[in-house]
Amino acid sequence: MHALLALGAPTFELQRTQWVPRDINEVFAFFEDPQNLPKITPPSLGFKILSMTPDHIDTGTLITYRLKWNGIPYRWITLIKEWAKNERFVDTQISGPYILWHHTHTFEAIDDGVLLKDVVRYRLPFGPIGVLMHRMFVKKQLEAIFDYRIQKIGQLLSDGNSYSTSPGQLDSP
């Protein structure tokens, strides 16, 4: 979407942190496989990967998805803007419903596991209308999507448990 459609709307930020008791190579490999993305996306979004160029994820990879928002289908094209194996990657929206979508995923080996951090900076179109839409439902919907991700990652990588921090950090002064 063209930036002029933002009409002065602010940039919002969503953050989530989760610790999983697995080796960093295993955890990063899970996120490196785009076929795992539908597993951690709410079924109501009807998420489907349509194409990926090239056929592996690296800096410059373009991924085209199909999603549904409130039952309305749309395409979303993402660019992997940064890629540092076992450390971080950044995906940005090239085409989709936002003026800005910048999603940073970080991976830190800590306490015999991995601390995962998601930081999403996003901006909605239509200025004050976008701000109102954010207050009314977009913020809640995005929080629900990322809370679902935490739950599913816990089921898939943490034997059903979700940890916001490592158990070792809870014992620290």
Side-chain angles (χ1 to χ4, degrees):
M1 218 174 261
H2 197 279
L4 287 178
L5 290 175
L7 301 171
T11 299
F12 299 103
E13 186 171 283
L14 172 81
Q15 295 185 28
R16 290 293 184 270
T17 302
Q18 179 175 15
W19 180 83
V20 295
R22 299 281 176 120
D23 176 75
I24 196 162
N25 293 307
E26 181 182 356
V27 173
F28 197 84
F30 178 85
F31 286 90
E32 194 170 36
D33 181 353
Q35 298 309 314
N36 286 325
L37 196 49
K39 295 176 186 175
I40 60 172
T41 303
S44 61
L45 293 177
F47 181 91
K48 183 176 182 180
I49 296 173
L50 300 177
S51 67
M52 188 168 91
T53 307
D55 63 356
H56 65 282
I57 295 185
D58 204 341
T59 301
T61 299
L62 284 171
I63 306 171
T64 302
Y65 314 99
R66 184 184 69 219
L67 294 148
K68 292 180 187 171
W69 179 68
N70 292 333
I72 301 167
Y74 62 93
R75 285 182 185 235
W76 184 316
I77 301 174
T78 297
L79 169 68
I80 303 299
K81 193 167 188 148
E82 297 177 32
W83 187 262
K85 189 164 181 68
N86 292 347
E87 293 177 23
R88 65 186 264 134
F89 67 94
V90 176
D91 62 87
T92 60
Q93 174 194 283
I94 298 299
S95 176
Y98 294 90
I99 297 297
L100 168 72
W101 180 271
H102 185 275
H103 183 181
T104 302
H105 311 252
T106 59
F107 303 78
E108 180 184 355
I110 185 169
D111 295 334
D112 295 323
V114 179
L115 190 64
L116 306 171
K117 291 183 184 176
D118 287 291
V119 177
V120 180
R121 289 184 313 109
Y122 61 99
R123 195 169 180 203
L124 298 167
F126 311 122
I129 295 169
V131 171
L132 182 61
M133 289 172 50
H134 183 260
R135 283 188 194 140
M136 291 177 59
F137 54 86
V138 172
K139 179 181 178 185
K140 290 175 192 154
Q141 288 176 339
L142 285 175
E143 288 174 343
I145 290 167
F146 278 83
D147 290 345
Y148 180 89
R149 283 173 58 106
I150 285 175
Q151 175 191 9
K152 295 306 284 186
I153 290 166
Q155 289 173 357
L156 296 166
L157 300 176
S158 296
D159 301 322
N161 298 306
S162 294
Y163 304 98
S164 59
T165 187
S166 75
Q169 289 180 322
L170 294 175
D171 298 333
S172 299

